[in-house]
Amino acid sequence: MNITDHQNTKIVATVGPASSAYDNLLALVKAGVDVFRLNFSHGSHEDHLEVINRILYINKKYNLHIGILADLQGPKLRVGKMENNGLEIKEGDILTFVNEPCIGNMEKIYMSYPEFPTDVKVGERVLVDDGKLVFEVVETNKKDQVKLKVLFGGTLSSNKGVNLPNTKISLPSLTEKDLKDLEFMLTQPVNWIALSFVRSGKDIKDLRKRIDAVNHPAKIIAKIEKPEAVENIDKIIKNSNGIMVARGDLGIEVPMERLPVIQKEIIKKCIQRARPVIVATQMMDSMITNPSPTRAEITDVANAVFDGADAVMLSGETSVGVHPVKVVESMNKIIDQAESYTNTEKRRPITSPKSRTFYSDALCLNAARMAEEIKAKALVGMTSSGYTAFKLSSFRPNSKIYIFSDRMHMLATLNLVWGVRCYYYDRFTTTDDTISDVSEILKGAKKVEPGDVIVNTGSMPLHRRHRTNMMKITVVE
């Protein structure tokens, strides 16, 4: 199978019934998927294990490095089952939410959040079913029930999600279900673990301790879905390895008009911090059923590219949609066109003397500048920790970025990062020999030709594996 370099902006596709079969996964890879997302809100561990094994087989068979992102459900709040699977409620109705399971009726409705009566305050809003139904808290006994007044009514169906935009939730980010799912994830070669409903840097630190305790190399994606996360965004970015702008719940919990600005600001901060950032939710939502996207969706994907996002994500479009492969093909075309227009230099971050990696940061920045000045065909880095790849990518160079590592897991991890393409290399000898080797590898892969110029970065001496401290210009022989 001939898989060529795709665009700089990567595509994350969620796996589900429409895409979990081997042939479907392979077709999605051919169409341009760089990372598969496993949504642990759905499916059993056995289901996810089968998908993981299929992805690993594709990687091995076709010498690829498709990444795996395992997404924890987090404390998702829901109402329980309803009589007749739905209640018709109208403005002014008073309903009582309780924390004991029951079949919902006009007298009482179960909510899967035991602390709801103690956390909520009179006057706070409660949104149900992606904000289609709106309630206001009128009374709480601070123990086991809350009375709500209907502000916007409709059909209250079974098991619909609940959002509390004004309430400080006391639930931990990792629920009992998450801990069981995490235990399974940490037995598998997943590259990224996404933490849902992050509210502070402490949430990330807790997950980090659990991952480090078993020496798993997975990196953490913090999903930004809560107003508190937006308020604490700098610390969350600092403590995580990457960010997902999860616009589904975020778009419900913050005023809708703020969402575009929040998205742009988060992307800007992530590029400055060299953290990959994913824009997610409803990017091509109409293609769950339709064969082509709306004009608004086309513009939405393009704007994420213009802003400099590392990746754009598909959810229902590839997990349950009718045209999963066509969605990815369409998204790739949009990315291709948007990138031909994008000026990456305007987004280039500045280095900070206060950074503990300042010298290496400065070298990577100047490598990107040098590559542009001499019109280098490729910018090449060697890494074991991933630092060089994250940093070179953050400067958004015009040259192609090729990263070499002897850690297979790292190669798939870096497949999420803007512009980065990876190759396995484990023969770290002298600097000159290594530079010669990687040039030959790229030449053999038809990424460079004799006479092309490469800017090499690395660390000397190689066997010490220090951070980047060397830059060299090479002409391919």
Side-chain angles (χ1 to χ4, degrees):
M1 178 175 63
N2 179 30
I3 294 188
T4 58
D5 282 355
H6 297 293
Q7 289 75 27
N8 291 321
T9 309
K10 305 300 182 70
I11 295 177
V12 180
T14 303
V15 180
S19 52
S20 59
Y22 175 81
D23 289 345
N24 294 341
L25 293 170
L26 184 58
L28 288 169
V29 171
K30 288 181 179 180
V33 169
D34 300 283
V35 176
F36 282 115
R37 169 179 173 253
L38 308 182
N39 184 3
F40 278 72
S41 295
H42 308 285
S44 66
H45 291 173
E46 290 74 20
D47 294 336
H48 292 305
L49 179 60
E50 288 183 2
V51 172
I52 290 169
N53 287 334
R54 287 167 190 155
I55 296 168
L56 295 177
Y57 180 77
I58 289 171
N59 279 343
K60 184 175 181 179
K61 183 174 181 179
Y62 297 103
N63 193 27
L64 300 174
H65 306 293
I66 304 303
I68 300 173
L69 189 162
D71 196 337
L72 293 161
Q73 177 178 286
K76 184 69 176 176
L77 313 181
R78 296 185 185 278
V79 295
K81 292 190 177 297
M82 303 294 157
E83 281 185 351
N84 305 316
N85 206 34
L87 299 176
E88 293 301 321
I89 59 176
K90 61 183 185 299
E91 183 180 341
D93 284 347
I94 302 295
L95 303 179
T96 301
F97 279 24
V98 298
N99 56 17
E100 284 293 326
C102 64
I103 301 298
N105 54 39
M106 297 303 290
E107 297 296 321
K108 59 181 181 178
I109 294 166
Y110 171 63
M111 169 132 156
S112 65
Y113 175 20
E115 293 81 7
F116 183 48
T118 54
D119 287 351
V120 81
K121 295 182 177 65
V122 172
E124 291 182 343
R125 290 199 167 194
V126 177
L127 311 178
V128 179
D129 194 5
D130 291 337
K132 296 182 181 71
L133 308 176
V134 182
F135 304 81
E136 181 181 322
V137 177
V138 293
E139 183 183 320
T140 173
N141 68 358
K142 295 293 180 182
K143 181 183 176 184
D144 58 7
Q145 65 179 34
V146 178
K147 290 189 176 180
L148 305 170
K149 179 181 179 182
V150 179
L151 301 183
F152 294 95
T155 302
L156 176 56
S157 302
S158 298
N159 304 317
K160 290 299 181 181
V162 178
N163 292 91
L164 305 173
N166 313 125
T167 305
K168 296 291 184 183
I169 297 173
S170 60
L171 286 173
S173 285
L174 290 169
T175 65
E176 286 185 24
K177 170 179 165 49
D178 292 331
L179 292 174
K180 291 177 183 176
D181 290 338
L182 179 62
E183 185 179 359
F184 167 76
M185 290 175 190
L186 295 178
T187 67
Q188 300 300 314
V190 300
N191 306 103
W192 296 90
I193 295 177
L195 183 60
S196 297
F197 300 104
V198 172
R199 283 159 284 175
S200 69
K202 291 180 181 178
D203 296 333
I204 305 295
K205 290 177 180 178
D206 178 37
L207 177 56
R208 171 79 61 212
K209 287 178 182 176
R210 295 174 187 274
I211 295 172
D212 289 348
V214 294
N215 295 315
H216 196 287
K219 294 189 180 295
I220 298 173
I221 294 278
K223 294 172 67 176
I224 308 303
E225 302 172 90
K226 301 286 293 178
E228 300 102 300
V230 177
E231 294 168 12
N232 298 319
I233 191 64
D234 291 325
K235 288 184 178 179
I236 290 172
I237 292 173
K238 180 181 178 181
N239 286 287
S240 64
N241 303 111
I243 295 291
M244 183 189 296
V245 186
R247 304 178 305 177
D249 284 281
L250 183 62
I252 298 167
E253 299 222 2
V254 301
M256 63 179 181
E257 65 275 12
R258 288 190 60 205
L259 190 59
V261 174
I262 290 171
Q263 175 177 313
K264 287 178 181 291
E265 283 299 309
I266 291 175
I267 292 172
K268 183 178 177 181
K269 287 175 181 288
C270 285
I271 293 173
Q272 178 62 45
R273 273 269 183 185
R275 301 290 196 271
V277 55
I278 304 167
V279 175
T281 320
Q282 295 182 331
M283 300 219 76
M284 310 274 275
D285 204 51
S286 68
M287 286 193 76
I288 290 176
T289 53
N290 298 335
S292 60
T294 67
R295 280 46 173 177
E297 288 167 345
I298 294 167
T299 304
D300 183 35
V301 174
N303 275 325
V305 175
F306 296 150
D307 290 342
D310 287 75
V312 283
M313 193 176 98
L314 297 163
S315 299
E317 301 96 328
T318 52
S319 62
V320 296
V322 181
H323 315 283
V325 175
K326 190 172 287 187
V327 176
V328 175
E329 291 172 342
S330 299
M331 183 172 263
N332 240 335
K333 290 177 183 176
I334 298 166
I335 292 170
D336 186 36
Q337 192 63 221
E339 287 188 349
S340 70
Y341 174 79
T342 304
N343 182 352
T344 58
E345 192 172 343
K346 288 182 179 179
R347 292 193 297 269
R348 189 159 292 160
I350 58 173
T351 55
S352 170
K354 295 180 180 179
S355 170
R356 62 189 178 88
T357 59
F358 174 56
Y359 296 145
S360 296
D361 296 349
L363 190 143
C364 289
L365 169 60
N366 282 287
R369 286 176 174 166
M370 177 68 74
E372 286 175 6
E373 190 169 331
I374 66 176
K375 295 181 171 50
K377 187 70 174 287
L379 189 55
V380 174
M382 318 294 295
T383 192
S384 55
S385 69
Y387 165 85
T388 301
F390 290 124
K391 189 55 69 172
L392 287 176
S393 171
S394 74
F395 295 120
R396 300 300 194 253
N398 290 330
S399 303
K400 293 286 186 181
I401 306 171
Y402 298 112
I403 298 295
F404 291 78
S405 179
D406 62 343
R407 301 185 180 182
M408 292 295 290
H409 190 277
M410 180 56 66
L411 300 179
T413 300
L414 295 175
N415 221 42
L416 177 68
V417 183
W418 186 97
V420 171
R421 297 296 166 186
C422 294
Y423 292 87
Y424 180 75
Y425 181 77
D426 64 351
R427 186 175 166 269
F428 292 93
T429 56
T430 67
T431 302
D432 288 341
D433 284 347
T434 297
I435 288 174
S436 177
D437 285 349
V438 300
S439 296
E440 287 300 314
I441 291 170
L442 292 175
K443 194 164 63 172
K446 297 186 174 4
K447 305 305 179 188
V448 297
E449 300 174 351
D452 285 342
V453 179
I454 295 175
V455 174
N456 295 94
T457 64
S459 74
M460 296 176 62
L462 283 172
H463 67 276
R464 292 280 184 88
R465 298 186 180 233
H466 293 311
R467 281 206 171 89
T468 306
N469 61 13
M470 177 275 296
M471 175 173 63
K472 184 180 180 182
I473 298 171
T474 305
V475 179
V476 180
E477 296 180 355

